[in-house]
Amino acid sequence: SFDAGPAHFVGLHAPGRAPSRADLEWLEADLESETARSATWRIVYQHAPIFSHGSSHPARPELRALMETFGRLGVDLHLSGHDQSYERTHALRADGGIVLPHARDPWPVYAAGHGVVYAKVSPAGKLSDRGGGFSRLRGPAPAEIAARDDGAHHWARLRISASSLCVIVRALPGAGQRVATTDVFGIVRNEASGRDV
């Protein structure tokens, strides 16, 4: 783990499986530390996604057990990759309840402390080793998914201040095509609470 400005980042090694007991104990100790608790933002990143509906590397159900830990310990944002498409949830409570954004103009804004936003940002520049292309998303988006795209390479830029965490996701579809914004969302402190559904 490390700190950058008002954010505490935690790297978790759970490659497609539930973390070991020792890993979970380390994660809990880190997120309960004075350093993490004094940070404005807590961001966990790992390779394997908690939410992924792509055809190449769908999420493994056992990883959802981490949601309770993330919710209880005040994680604001979870970042992952692995599956070659983009998906982002609404803020989710530990029990899977959905918290909708309290503002939508010019982009969705969630109130901090009401749930964790999970964003799977596909590996920029890498195509699936299974299908040889982007990981296609099957069927309609589940209720917890707020944004998704399976037609480009993606990367994310985080803008972090003491009062807001903004995530800007960009896409580069292919040779000769322009960079486009796929998704923008924010998490803010000291704002109106989100609406639970």
Side-chain angles (χ1 to χ4, degrees), residues 31-153:
L31 289 171
E32 289 176 335
S33 71
E34 183 66 29
T35 302
R37 288 187 300 127
S38 64
T40 304
W41 305 104
R42 289 170 203 85
I43 301 168
V44 175
Y45 61 94
Q46 68 185 76
H47 181 73
I50 307 293
F51 291 89
S52 175
H53 303 90
S55 57
S56 295
H57 303 286
R60 299 181 101 152
E62 58 267 29
L63 288 176
R64 290 208 183 180
L66 290 166
M67 291 176 66
E68 187 280 328
T69 301
F70 295 153
R72 180 170 42 84
L73 297 175
V75 171
D76 299 290
L77 176 65
H78 180 274
L79 298 169
S80 63
H82 189 52
D83 195 33
Q84 290 77 26
S85 57
Y86 174 71
E87 288 181 274
R88 190 249 313 160
T89 69
H90 289 293
L92 300 179
R93 297 189 315 253
D95 64 3
I98 300 168
V99 181
L100 297 176
H102 66 81
R104 293 184 185 269
D105 187 24
W107 53 72
V109 178
Y110 299 89
H114 292 271
V116 181
V117 176
Y118 296 84
K120 175 194 71 173
V121 184
S122 64
K126 181 183 183 295
L127 294 175
S128 171
D129 57 354
R130 293 196 177 167
F134 300 118
S135 182
R136 297 301 177 192
L137 299 165
R138 301 176 188 165
E144 69 269 9
I145 300 297
R148 65 186 193 161
D149 178 65
D150 64 0
H153 298 290

